Amino acid sequence: MTLKQALMSGCAVALLSVEAQAQTPPASPATPPPAPPASSAPANTRRITGKVLDALTQDGQPFTRIIIKGTTTGTESELDGTFSLEVPKGPVTLLFSSQDHKEREVTVGANRDSVTVSLDASFVEEMVVVGRASEVARKNLANSVASVNTEELNRAPAATVDQALQGKVAGANIQSNSGAPGGGIQLRLRGTSTINGSSTPLYVVDGVIISDAAIASGIYQVTDSVGGSNPSPTQDNQVNRIADLNPNDIESIEILKGASAAAIYGSKASNGVVIITTKRGRAGAAPKLDVTQRLGVYSLMNTLGARRIGSLDEAVSAFGPEAANYYVPGYYDHERQLAGRRDLSYETLASVSGASGDTRYFASAQVRDDKGIIANTGYQKQSFRLNLGQKLGPDIELNATTNLVHSTSDRGVTNNDNANISYYMVLPGTPSFVDLRPGANGIYPFNPAFGNGSNPLQTASLVANAENVWRLLGSADAVWNAYKTDTQSFRVLGNLGVDRFQQENTLLFPPQLNFQQGQERPGVSLFGTSQVLNLNAGFNLVHNYKAPGGGLTANTSAGYQYEQRGLDTIYINSRGLTAGQPNVSSGTQVGVVQNRQLVKDSGIYLQEEALMLDERLTLVGAVRAEQSSNNGNPNAFFFYPKVATAYRIPSFHPVVNEFKVRGAYGETGNQPLYGFKFIGLSPSNNIEGQGGLITTGIVGNANIRPERQREFEVGLDTVLFNGDAVFELSLYQRNISDLLLQRALAPSTGYTVELFNGGTMRNRGIEAMLQLTPVRNSVLEWTSNTTFTLNRSRIISLPVPAFNTGGFGTSLGTFRIEEGASATQIVGNDGLRADGTCCEVRKIGDTEPTFRMGFSNTFKSGPVALSFLVDWQQGSDVLNITRFLYDASRNSPDYTTGGIARQALWQNYASAYLERATFVKLRELTVTYNLPDTFVTRIPGVKTGRLSLSGRNLLMFTNYSGLDPEVSNFGNQAIARNIDVAPFPPSRSFWTSLDVGF
């Protein structure tokens, strides 16, 4: 629930009169059970039956306390919200109270024997997950937990969940790696937490830990991007698999940013935990069908341009004497020829939800087709979901979720390469007077500027880089309310989950490609298949105690979890295609590479939460013990504790409704990557002509263990002006020790590098959120939300000499891990040394933003609503290697006025190609119009209709000279980010949507 929804529902509830409620019987789905015969009650009493509902969802609310005002006589509602209470004859006033809802007082007339009461769950009282099997009202939270609901998530169409989150979460840096369709986004919470470990947060969907793996397509085997100083296949522009989820299926997202909040998830939670809850049918709700049809278009957002050549002499001067052989006066906009497509995209959504008896259901379908701005690129997805809930009597509830996803994508040939075939690796060296378009015969000309004749328009037309994914997500959980009294309850919970997907990559570089014709074996066919299987199982016990009189509420939970993650990837590389046949079996040279991984984790936890002092004081303590096969000793237990407290200070001013101070401490870990404990081996055929294995030079460590993260967090939360202003502020310090590092070994050992634990780093930061409702009347409602994020990192100790990682050497810029310096600093040549030689290497920049802010506003007036989101990044530095390529080819549009100077400066200063990544982007803009009932109801069965116009990334304000300051050639990386090398160009999108409810 959003603050706005909670406040509005609270206003609606306040306006309802008790008399009206007593006179108007509830709708049939919410009708309370019939009263027992009058003879069952004494002559001076009567029995009232009823039901307690959530004002927003209309779900029955269990464990609500109902007391006769002025007495201690009362009862508690059942699991479905129903209750029965014996009261004195005549009018009676009942007090309704629940931990997660506002208290309410209702008077029931003397002639009324049943009542239905709606309780308001306000922003401060909405329930937030704080453990594996427990949740607490937001007003009592002792940690900073960000929440995003379905309305906020889906205001403007987004292809992926992480894209829809951009600019909406304080403490989150959500950055696109490129403009390629279908994903490729990194979510980083509270700065960089590792150097060589995993850098992605943990994603939990309906209790299932799912894979967010980003698996390389294998195109690096043709582009040879791993052939230089950066042997990482992450340059393949991969999609992280959280992109498979349908954002429209999501009810809410809760992001556990701090170690105290995330500690219960142990050694996989160092980068935060993203808990996603999908939609469910609402108890007592009639069937509801919603259908949405969207039509949209993507268009090129930005171009780099190229140098305009006005004469033959200028062409020869710029590109050498050979330019005289192909110079023809003219100017060709190669970028728009390559990426100027505006094909129609669409998305169709349908969902049905409701309840039948004790069965709740939600089913949905999605068909999406995003057309890329480059020929033969795009992203298609079909998603089908079925969520079921079933009550077996008053004490047992079962839930099951299934999600089948099929997606296909083609992301073209972009990012770094050493074979001169990637689009923006070729365009910088292609003069603007060269016509790359196909002739009348359909044949693309050789590019005269490149010895291999590489033509980007031909590459886009003929190369296939197809990715095909089938994925099945499923979960089942059961809740048994084994025991319940007025003061205690005991629940048993169990859950199972499976995440299974298969990713197939089919790449074809036919022999007729210009750059293939000169190869010894022209034509390349690549096939990659990756099988991923994640299994989850958990068993939890939860005991709740509520002292008579409400002085103490204690919630104790304990549980056991087992998790298994398996990966099997095979790449087949076939060269020299016979007669151009695409099958990998038709090549004259075939190679196979396989990678298999299997990780098994298990853990137990114990957590205690207590509310005291009239629910003003919150105390939380927990510990998790965990084993993992990734550790050097798979049987060793590692412990992750947390403690937290919060105190709600009584109101000290009429405008202050809530004022809470909080503090927390927690520990999490970061597991070693698979294989860190083993010696690296690779096949060899040169042992007397026989096959064998040789070491890679990397020696594992039998004592390798998880990195350890310890974090302190303090903060305050306040609600002012009856909810018209909400402010949250958090300050944190995160210390990471036992970093996963490498150290050099003496050649006499037979190895070159050893993996080990050592060193510490630190993050400090500030997060703030301010939500305002400046105007709310019968004409206009305006809601505004602002988020602020600031983080600073530092390497505190380093047991090895400072080392460089990622980047392209000190001549262009590289990342250096150095004691006393920022973990994300960029170093490079920075002038001559004292002896006059080149060059002094110093810090020249940093990828950490100075700060990030998000501004979202929603205006509603009658049937019309306008919302927009502005995302502001201040600071952060980018290595603009693409600009370097244009300058080095003498082809940048400002070469004579700027490029020459940059090239001269670059001889001694790497900062010549370092730029600020400050930007302001209009992430989302949506205008909606609720169609009049008189118009909508003319169509049989239709109840509601809404028309929307939306846009994403419509405007960008930046001084960055590249395509987009949000860029990462190396994909999802902890350190080596903000490197611009021939990326997929960014796009903006425009959408028209029609939503119809039946």
Side-chain angles (χ1 to χ4, degrees):
M1 174 186 298
T2 63
L3 171 61
K4 177 186 69 178
Q5 289 173 317
L7 293 175
M8 293 305 293
S9 63
C11 293
V13 170
L15 292 174
L16 291 175
S17 66
V18 174
E19 290 78 13
Q21 190 179 48
Q23 294 171 8
T24 305
S28 57
T31 301
S39 58
S40 64
N44 61 342
T45 64
R46 61 192 180 97
R47 185 168 293 277
I48 293 178
T49 60
K51 191 168 188 177
V52 184
L53 302 175
D54 180 282
L56 181 67
T57 67
Q58 294 302 296
D59 286 343
Q61 290 301 308
F63 312 122
T64 300
R65 184 71 174 164
I66 303 104
I67 299 176
I68 302 173
K69 186 175 182 179
T71 73
T72 58
T73 303
T75 188
E76 195 172 72
S77 63
E78 301 293 334
L79 287 176
D80 60 355
T82 60
F83 70 90
S84 176
L85 179 63
E86 194 173 292
V87 301
K89 286 189 173 182
V92 64
T93 300
L94 302 180
L95 300 177
F96 293 80
S97 62
S98 172
Q99 177 178 322
D100 55 346
H101 288 76
K102 286 185 177 180
E103 293 184 356
R104 189 164 178 211
E105 185 176 302
V106 175
T107 299
V108 182
N111 298 323
R112 185 72 174 171
D113 57 6
S114 66
V115 64
T116 298
V117 177
S118 296
L119 298 184
D120 176 33
S122 70
F123 175 80
V124 295
E125 292 174 335
E126 66 171 315
M127 300 304 291
V128 177
V129 174
V130 294
R132 293 266 184 169
S134 60
E135 55 185 13
V136 69
R138 180 174 289 276
K139 68 179 181 182
N140 297 316
L141 269 178
N143 306 96
S144 173
V145 177
S147 298
V148 180
N149 77 346
T150 184
E151 180 184 351
E152 296 169 314
L153 195 69
N154 295 298
R155 284 197 182 114
T160 63
V161 173
D162 39 12
Q163 184 185 73
L165 284 172
Q166 285 183 300
K168 298 175 183 176
V169 179
N173 187 347
I174 306 175
Q175 181 180 356
S176 302
N177 295 331
S178 77
I185 291 180
Q186 175 153 322
L187 167 58
R188 188 166 63 191
L189 299 171
R190 293 187 171 177
T192 299
S193 299
T194 186
I195 297 171
N196 294 310
S198 171
S199 61
T200 61
L202 183 69
Y203 287 91
V204 182
V205 180
D206 294 326
V208 178
I209 296 176
I210 70 168
S211 173
D212 187 37
I215 301 173
S217 66
I219 198 173
Y220 65 86
Q221 299 180 61
V222 179
T223 62
D224 197 28
S225 61
V226 301
S229 60
N230 294 288
S232 173
T234 60
Q235 300 180 83
D236 275 12
N237 213 354
Q238 315 103 299
V239 177
N240 45 317
R241 294 263 60 94
I242 196 66
D244 294 332
L245 296 182
N246 177 6
N248 303 277
D249 284 347
I250 295 174
E251 182 72 29
S252 65
I253 297 178
E254 290 171 347
I255 300 177
L256 311 183
K257 297 171 287 188
S260 179
I264 207 70
Y265 289 93
S267 64
K268 293 179 290 296
S270 65
N271 301 300
V273 182
V274 180
I275 300 175
I276 298 175
T277 303
T278 60
K279 295 176 181 178
R280 309 291 175 94
R282 305 193 188 284
K288 181 183 179 184
L289 173 64
D290 294 296
V291 178
T292 298
Q293 180 61 58
R294 292 172 177 157
L295 298 176
V297 64
Y298 290 83
S299 66
L300 182 62
M301 186 177 188
N302 196 14
T303 60
L304 299 176
R307 182 178 178 181
R308 290 181 179 268
I309 303 297
S311 67
L312 175 61
D313 290 342
E314 188 179 359
V316 171
S317 173
F319 301 106
E322 61 274 13
N325 300 322
Y326 56 85
Y327 171 74
V328 176
Y331 180 85
Y332 297 95
D333 191 337
H334 297 139
E335 290 180 273
R336 294 197 180 276
Q337 291 172 354
L338 172 72
R341 299 176 70 91
R342 296 186 179 185
D343 296 335
L344 185 66
S345 300
Y346 69 87
E347 182 178 38
T348 303
L349 301 163
S351 66
V352 60
S353 62
S356 177
D358 290 331
T359 303
R360 299 190 301 171
Y361 56 87
F362 172 83
S364 72
Q366 176 197 33
V367 178
R368 186 181 183 100
D369 188 353
D370 287 351
K371 300 295 187 182
I373 57 177
I374 295 178
N376 295 320
T377 65
Y379 175 67
Q380 297 80 39
K381 180 165 63 178
Q382 303 88 46
S383 173
F384 306 92
R385 173 176 291 277
L386 177 62
N387 293 352
L388 295 173
Q390 178 69 49
K391 290 184 178 180
L392 303 178
D395 298 325
I396 297 177
E397 182 174 353
L398 305 177
N399 294 284
T401 71
T402 56
N403 188 197
L404 178 64
V405 183
H406 175 236
S407 66
T408 58
S409 63
D410 194 316
R411 301 162 75 79
V413 187
T414 56
N415 280 15
N416 178 44
D417 88 85
N418 291 300
N420 289 327
I421 63 173
S422 178
Y423 307 143
Y424 275 89
M425 292 294 286
V426 176
L427 289 180
T430 304
S432 61
F433 53 79
V434 173
D435 189 357
L436 298 176
R437 296 174 300 174
N441 57 3
I443 297 177
Y444 288 86
F446 276 75
N447 186 344
F450 281 82
N452 65 359
S454 182
N455 184 331
L457 302 187
Q458 183 197 44
T459 303
S461 177
L462 300 183
V463 168
N465 181 10
E467 185 168 281
N468 186 22
V469 177
W470 282 96
R471 187 170 193 173
L472 177 65
L473 293 162
S475 70
D477 63 75
V479 181
W480 174 33
N481 293 277
Y483 176 77
K484 186 180 72 172
T485 67
D486 290 345
T487 59
Q488 298 186 67
S489 66
F490 180 70
R491 292 182 294 153
V492 181
L493 302 90
N495 66 280
L496 296 170
V498 61
D499 175 12
R500 169 74 168 86
F501 74 82
Q502 176 175 328
Q503 175 179 314
E504 290 186 353
N505 294 92
T506 305
L507 294 86
L508 179 64
F509 295 79
Q512 61 265 38
L513 283 166
N514 294 346
F515 64 82
Q516 280 291 311
Q517 293 182 25
Q519 298 290 320
E520 180 181 355
R521 296 181 178 87
V524 181
S525 179
L526 296 171
F527 178 75
T529 177
S530 299
Q531 312 284 336
V532 175
L533 176 62
N534 282 17
L535 299 175
N536 295 244
F539 179 77
N540 304 280
L541 303 174
V542 180
H543 176 264
N544 183 270
Y545 171 75
K546 195 170 188 177
L552 169 67
T553 298
N555 187 284
T556 306
S557 57
Y560 167 81
Q561 290 79 40
Y562 173 81
E563 294 145 15
Q564 179 176 303
R565 309 188 300 278
L567 168 67
D568 187 357
T569 298
I570 299 175
Y571 294 105
I572 302 174
N573 182 335
S574 177
R575 297 175 183 269
L577 301 181
T578 305
Q581 292 297 305
N583 295 338
V584 291
S585 59
S586 65
T588 59
Q589 183 185 68
V590 179
V592 179
V593 177
Q594 184 174 15
N595 175 30
R596 292 191 295 174
Q597 301 180 10
L598 180 63
V599 181
K600 297 179 180 180
D601 302 332
S602 61
I604 56 175
Y605 77 94
L606 176 66
Q607 178 162 297
E608 180 69 36
E609 308 148 52
L611 295 176
M612 296 177 288
L613 305 181
D614 194 26
E615 294 193 357
R616 293 194 174 276
L617 177 64
T618 302
L619 297 173
V620 180
V623 64
R624 176 175 172 82
E626 188 177 272
Q627 297 173 317
S628 175
S629 62
N630 268 355
N631 299 327
N633 181 357
N635 298 315
F637 278 97
F638 292 87
F639 293 86
Y640 303 98
K642 77 169 184 178
V643 292
T645 185
Y647 183 69
R648 296 167 53 218
I649 298 173
S651 179
F652 49 84
H653 192 278
V655 303
V656 180
N657 305 104
E658 289 280 346
F659 192 92
K660 179 181 67 178
V661 293
R662 49 184 167 80
Y665 169 81
E667 298 184 14
T668 60
N670 199 352
Q671 287 184 6
L673 299 183
Y674 182 83
F676 270 24
K677 64 181 179 181
F678 299 122
I679 294 174
L681 298 174
S682 63
S684 174
N685 294 318
N686 59 2
I687 304 176
E688 295 185 355
Q690 302 298 315
L693 294 174
I694 61 174
T695 67
T696 61
I698 300 176
V699 60
N701 189 332
N703 297 313
I704 203 78
R705 59 188 180 275
E707 296 177 336
R708 174 72 60 162
Q709 182 181 121
R710 300 173 175 88
E711 183 175 279
F712 295 90
E713 176 187 312
V714 295
L716 64 88
D717 308 327
T718 183
V719 179
L720 310 170
F721 304 106
N722 295 319
D724 284 342
V726 178
F727 178 69
E728 295 181 357
L729 176 67
S730 298
L731 293 85
Y732 62 87
Q733 176 167 308
R734 171 184 292 175
N735 299 302
I736 304 102
S737 59
D738 288 338
L739 292 170
L740 296 166
L741 298 173
Q742 298 182 3
R743 59 185 166 204
L745 297 177
S748 59
T749 64
Y751 302 98
T752 57
V753 173
E754 181 186 27
L755 299 163
F756 76 108
N757 293 96
T760 58
M761 64 184 294
R762 183 190 69 205
N763 280 289
R764 288 176 174 170
I766 302 172
E767 300 165 358
M769 186 278 291
L770 175 63
Q771 186 163 324
L772 301 172
T773 307
V775 179
R776 184 170 57 214
N777 54 45
S778 59
V779 177
L780 176 66
E781 177 189 336
W782 171 20
T783 303
S784 176
N785 192 81
T786 302
T787 61
F788 176 85
T789 302
L790 179 151
N791 183 83
R792 297 291 182 270
S793 66
R794 183 172 294 274
I795 302 296
I796 302 300
S797 65
L798 195 65
V800 294
F803 60 92
N804 297 338
T805 177
F808 290 88
T810 57
S811 65
L812 285 169
T814 186
F815 295 83
R816 174 168 292 179
I817 305 302
E818 181 179 15
E819 188 171 300
S822 165
T824 51
Q825 69 168 341
I826 303 173
V827 301
N829 295 345
D830 193 45
L832 300 178
R833 298 187 184 97
D835 61 3
T837 61
C838 183
C839 282
E840 191 73 33
V841 177
R842 299 188 182 93
K843 177 179 179 178
I844 60 173
D846 202 300
T847 62
E848 187 71 61
T850 306
F851 62 81
R852 289 200 70 154
M853 296 188 72
F855 305 92
S856 65
N857 287 267
T858 299
F859 302 86
K860 290 186 177 181
S861 180
V864 179
L866 167 68
S867 63
F868 66 87
L869 170 65
V870 175
D871 192 5
W872 174 17
Q873 174 176 281
Q874 180 65 37
S876 185
D877 294 299
V878 177
L879 291 173
N880 193 345
I881 311 301
T882 306
R883 191 180 205 187
F884 167 79
L885 294 173
Y886 272 90
D887 282 354
S889 301
R890 301 182 178 184
N891 198 25
S892 47
D894 66 338
Y895 180 74
T896 58
T897 58
I900 294 175
R902 288 190 296 269
Q903 283 282 287
L905 182 65
W906 169 69
Q907 300 301 316
N908 298 320
Y909 294 89
S911 56
Y913 292 100
L914 185 84
E915 298 186 46
R916 298 293 278 173
T918 297
F919 67 80
V920 175
K921 290 189 178 184
L922 180 58
R923 289 284 187 196
E924 299 176 0
L925 176 65
T926 300
V927 179
T928 63
Y929 174 64
N930 292 319
L931 301 175
D933 292 342
T934 54
F935 172 78
V936 171
T937 54
R938 293 178 182 177
I939 305 173
V942 177
K943 296 179 180 178
T944 61
R946 183 177 64 179
L947 183 65
S948 304
L949 300 176
S950 305
R952 181 170 291 278
N953 292 327
L954 296 182
L955 297 174
M956 176 174 67
F957 303 94
T958 182
N959 290 325
Y960 181 61
S961 67
L963 290 169
D964 191 343
E966 287 188 277
V967 65
S968 179
N969 174 72
F970 294 99
N972 290 357
Q973 294 285 307
I975 303 296
R977 297 193 59 77
N978 289 26
I979 300 179
D980 184 333
V981 188
F984 195 107
S987 62
R988 54 172 62 93
S989 62
F990 306 85
W991 295 90
T992 299
S993 305
L994 177 63
D995 305 283
V996 180
F998 295 87

